[in-house]
């Protein structure tokens, strides 16, 4: 064992001496071997470059998709107008950052730019062009609105008057005519018809008198209003007022027998026999069958001492057989006195 140990120590010392005395050797690869290794790395990088580019394209497309905006509420529809269709702007495309692997060449960037141009062209809509010989589109014109004609108060009153003329109910006719006169107080037809309605309905004499007085202020020469007021004065035994009212119209221009009878009776009551006698002469010519006209003429002629003419007029009145018994007795007495 000691011998073996001695041999191992000698061997170890020998190796140590050789290591310290021998020069250090540096292993370096040969120059041609170093260039070959660089070409290997370039070939490997070139082979992995398409895979890396495809991965970058997929990753950038997924991460850079534009957010979809929520649809906005449509504004209220504007009036119909013809306008050219608007072309929407192409979506903004963000170019992906170039990877360090692409810095050495320009081919991937050229491919990316061409794809962006093609995508923007695909987004632009095609605007249809009208044919060259197409007729121009006429503008849209809104139909004209016919203005509503507003009736004047006079027209409204006339419409109410026409309705009253065809009415069947007296209260309805009265209400329509009063409404018409509220709108147009100078409506002669409405005033005339309302007065006739009041007289037919035997309305209050004071109401009739007030209405007639108001009507005469607007139409002083109206024959109906004049006769009505004169008749009201005769009923009140106010013959002077009746005569003054009737004389507002020239008697020579009037042939109305009611008007002439009222005027002749007014003259006779006022002892104005000459004008009364002239009017009774006209009445006996217009209505010879009326005994009242002959009696009035006989009284006027009797007062004027026209004896023979008065006797003839008394006899004409007696022959009609339409007078009251008291009047007949008076005529007989006057005939006895004149003969």
């Amino acid at each position: 064992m000691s011998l073996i140990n001695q041999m191992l120590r000698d061997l170890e010392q020998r190796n140590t001496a050789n290591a310290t005395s021998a020069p250090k050797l540096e292993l370096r690869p040969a120059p041609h071997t170093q260039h070959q290794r660089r070409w290997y790395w370039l070939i490997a990088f070139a082979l992995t470059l398409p895979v890396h580019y495809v991965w970058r394209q997929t990753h950038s497309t997924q991460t850079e998709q534009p957010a979809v905006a929520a649809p906005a509420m449509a504004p209220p529809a504007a009036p119909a107008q013809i306008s050219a269709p608007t072309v929407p702007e192409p979506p903004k495309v963000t170019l992906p950052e170039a990877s360090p692997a692409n810095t050495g060449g320009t081919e991937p960037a050229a491919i990316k730019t061409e794809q962006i141009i093609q995508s923007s062209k695909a987004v632009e809509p095609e605007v249809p062009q009208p044919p060259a010989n197409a007729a121009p589109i006429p503008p849209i014109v809104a139909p004209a609105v016919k203005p509503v004609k507003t009736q004047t108060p006079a027209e409204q009153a006339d419409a109410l008057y026409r309705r009253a003329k065809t009415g069947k109910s007296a209260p309805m006719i009265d209400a329509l005519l009063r409404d018409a006169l509220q709108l147009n107080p100078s409506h002669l037809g409405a005033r005339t018809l309302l007065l006739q309605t009041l007289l037919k309905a035997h309305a209050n004499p004071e109401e009739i008198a007030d209405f007639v007085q108001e009507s005469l202020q607007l139409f002083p020469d109206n024959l109906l209003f004049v006769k009505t007021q004169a008749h009201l004065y005769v009923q009140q035994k106010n013959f002077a007022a009746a005569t003054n009212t009737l004389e507002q119209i020239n008697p020579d221009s009037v042939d109305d027998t009611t008007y002439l009878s009222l005027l002749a009776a007014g003259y006779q009551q006022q002892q104005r026999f000459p004008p009364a006698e002239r009017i009774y002469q006209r009445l006996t010519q217009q209505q010879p069958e009326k005994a009242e006209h002959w009696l009035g003429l006989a009284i006027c002629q009797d007062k004027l001492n026209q004896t023979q003419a008065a006797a003839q007029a008394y006899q004409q009145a007696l022959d009609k057989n339409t007078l009251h018994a008291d009047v007949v007795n008076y005529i007989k007495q006057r005939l006895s006195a004149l003969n």
Side-chain angles (χ1 to χ4, degrees), residues 134-202:
I137 301 176
I140 299 176
V141 180
V145 180
K146 186 177 181 181
V148 179
K149 184 179 179 181
T150 304
Q151 287 186 335
T152 62
E155 293 174 343
Q156 296 177 11
D158 192 60
L160 292 173
Y161 167 67
R162 290 194 299 269
R163 288 178 56 191
K165 287 176 63 177
T166 59
K168 302 299 182 181
S169 173
M172 182 189 71
I173 295 173
D174 184 275
L176 290 173
L177 293 174
R178 291 181 187 275
D179 291 341
L181 292 178
Q182 286 287 337
L183 295 170
N184 183 16
S186 300
H187 198 291
L188 180 59
R191 284 194 172 274
T192 302
L193 185 57
L194 181 57
L195 178 58
Q196 293 173 351
T197 304
L198 294 175
L199 293 174
K200 186 177 180 180
H202 302 286

Side-chain angles (χ1 to χ4, degrees), residues 68-117:
V68 179
M73 294 182 65
Q81 296 181 356
I82 298 176
S83 59
T86 58
V87 180
E89 296 182 0
K92 184 177 180 181
V93 181
T94 305
L95 294 176
E97 297 180 357
S99 62
N102 294 338
T103 55
T106 60
E107 183 177 356
I111 295 174
K112 186 65 177 179
T113 305
E114 185 179 356
Q115 292 178 354
I116 295 172
I117 295 173

Side-chain angles (χ1 to χ4, degrees), residues 214-333:
E214 177 185 348
S215 301
L216 283 174
Q217 292 177 359
L218 298 171
F219 306 99
D221 298 333
N222 184 270
L223 186 59
L224 176 61
F225 301 148
V226 168
K227 291 190 301 182
T228 304
Q229 190 176 49
H231 183 73
L232 293 174
Y233 285 141
V234 169
Q235 289 179 344
Q236 298 171 4
K237 306 298 181 179
N238 190 352
F239 298 103
T243 303
N244 294 333
T245 302
L246 294 169
E247 285 179 342
Q248 293 178 7
I249 303 175
N250 184 7
D252 297 334
S253 62
V254 179
D255 291 332
D256 187 84
T257 56
T258 303
Y259 168 82
L260 294 175
S261 299
L262 288 171
L263 183 58
Y267 286 151
Q268 186 179 3
Q269 292 295 330
Q270 292 179 284
Q271 305 296 316
R272 298 169 63 181
F273 297 112
E277 191 264 340
R278 289 195 300 270
I279 294 175
Y280 277 125
Q281 287 285 2
R282 292 175 59 186
L283 288 171
T284 56
Q285 293 174 4
Q286 293 179 3
Q287 294 178 332
E289 72 282 358
K290 291 288 186 177
E292 293 82 0
H293 300 334
W294 290 105
L295 178 60
L297 178 60
I299 293 173
C300 291
Q301 291 173 344
D302 192 1
K303 296 296 181 180
L304 294 173
N305 295 322
Q306 298 175 8
T307 307
Q308 186 176 0
Q312 293 177 357
Y314 279 132
Q315 190 60 48
Q316 287 288 339
L318 190 60
D319 292 340
K320 304 307 182 215
N321 295 323
T322 58
L323 297 174
H324 195 268
D326 295 338
V327 178
V328 172
N329 292 332
Y330 173 78
I331 292 174
K332 290 179 179 181
Q333 290 177 4

